[in-house]
């Protein structure tokens, strides 16, 4: 089987080496490019299966690289940033990145994200191939305020249902608390991000009761939440 090719665009050689070694050990065909413009050239000529893209780069910055790449390819991209507070702004730009990793990271964490993104975007076979006739894991009927997980009806409050819907409509995408406030609480003026957390906590508890083996809503530390079907 051909190995999955990962291009790491990172200008800090020590950091790059550690991560590439880790990816290679896990069986990926990983390589590094330290310059944004050269990375773009390389991606055009020979697109990898996944791109790990640092934002601060010489030549061409990561955001510009991503914009150019998105003009011709949907290849999975994980953005790497040194500032967790920047992720909120990045999410708002809707750049089309598939996930975000914040420095300092552990190679283990990055590997887990790589695997999750590849699984989601179809780069890896699904664990337990999907039966096309099987009902979807999560069904939401917003008109009748009913949500089901694995066929089991959930007892959700209207806010919990709306939160679930907002995330499930955008599978795999990380939504910040601010975005969830916009999507779910736009009619409520005095809702805090803490209220989002409290509703989310209840929603995630109910989901894990219905589907204990799955983490359907992933919490991204310092950033927000993502629905992982
Ligand atoms: Ca950098």
């Amino acid at each position: 089987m051909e190995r999955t090719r990962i291009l790491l665009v990172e200008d800090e050689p020590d950091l790059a080496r550690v991560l590439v070694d880790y990816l290679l050990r896990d069986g990926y065909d990983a390589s590094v490019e330290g310059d944004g413009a050269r990375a773009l050239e390389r991606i055009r000529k020979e697109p990898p299966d996944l791109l790990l893209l640092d934002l601060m780069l010489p030549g061409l910055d990561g955001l510009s690289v991503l914009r150019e790449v998105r003009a011709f390819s949907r290849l999975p991209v994980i953005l790497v940033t040194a500032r967790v507070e920047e992720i909120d702004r990045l999410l708002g730009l809707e750049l089309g990145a598939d996930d975000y990793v914040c420095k300092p990271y552990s190679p283990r964490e990055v590997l887990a994200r790589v695997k999750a993104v590849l699984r989601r975007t179809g780069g890896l076979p699904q664990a337990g191939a999907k039966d096309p006739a099987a009902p979807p894991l999560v069904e939401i009927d917003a008109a009748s305020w009913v949500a089901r997980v694995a066929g089991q009806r959930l007892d959700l409050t209207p806010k919990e249902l709306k939160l679930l819907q907002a995330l499930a409509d955008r599978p795999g995408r990380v939504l910040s608390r601010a975005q969830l406030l916009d999507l779910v609480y736009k009619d409520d003026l005095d809702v805090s991000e803490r209220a989002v957390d409290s509703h989310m906590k209840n929603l995630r508890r109910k989901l894990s009761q219905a589907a204990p083996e799955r983490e359907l809503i992933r919490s991204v530390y310092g950033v927000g939440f993502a629905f992982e079907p």
Side-chain angles (χ1 to χ4, degrees), residues 9-12 15 34 54-58 80 82 103:
V9 188
E10 169 62 75
D11 59 318
E12 292 166 66
L15 214 57
D54 188 36
L55 283 183
M56 299 281 279
L57 294 168
V80 180
K103 288 178 178 175

Side-chain angles (χ1 to χ4, degrees), residues 128-135:
K130 274 187 185 162
D131 175 357

Side-chain angles (χ1 to χ4, degrees), residues 29-41:
D29 176 0
S31 55
V32 182
E33 179 56 68
D35 175 276
R38 281 205 305 271
L40 186 58
E41 271 314 294

